[in-house]
Amino acid sequence: MSAEARLAAIRSGDMSGLTAGEQARVVFHTGRGCVKVVRGKSTSKADRAVERIFKDAEERVAAEHAAEESLRKKKIQDKAMAKAKKRAESKWW
């Protein structure tokens, strides 16, 4: 799954974009929230924990995506510079 697809999945609330560890933590906190509901207590702490996991994952994947894009742009720029240098060195005219 590409970084862009993972980012879209995370933003839509889908767990498929998360790492296995993050998925496990979401399931753990969801379970904690279920126990709180059964006991008639507030689930706000578990809800905040799940939101924080998704927020952190979104930031991480967005940074990965930005790094991939800058690397791709650098490769394109390097190829263009090499081509320009080669054209400048060849004195066919």
Side-chain angles (χ1 to χ4, degrees):
M1 183 182 282
S2 71
E4 193 170 326
R6 285 192 349 240
L7 188 58
I10 290 171
R11 285 182 176 157
S12 69
D14 188 9
M15 284 182 42
S16 66
L18 301 175
T19 64
E22 290 166 339
Q23 289 177 1
R25 288 182 12 227
V26 167
V27 170
F28 170 76
H29 289 297
T30 303
R32 279 181 48 199
C34 291
V35 168
K36 295 286 186 178
V37 167
V38 169
R39 292 182 181 171
K41 296 183 179 180
S42 173
T43 62
S44 62
K45 188 173 181 181
D47 291 340
R48 283 193 310 267
V50 170
E51 289 172 6
R52 188 173 45 247
I53 291 168
F54 273 95
K55 181 182 158 242
D56 292 346
E58 183 178 351
E59 289 176 5
R60 179 184 48 80
V61 173
E64 288 174 8
H65 179 61
E68 287 175 2
E69 283 296 313
S70 67
L71 182 62
R72 185 183 66 80
K73 287 179 183 179
K74 176 136 177 62
K75 285 181 182 179
I76 291 170
Q77 184 180 14
D78 289 346
K79 285 183 182 180
M81 292 291 286
K83 188 174 183 179
K85 185 177 178 182
K86 185 176 177 182
R87 280 190 179 173
E89 289 175 352
S90 75
K91 298 182 177 161
W92 58 272
W93 63 89

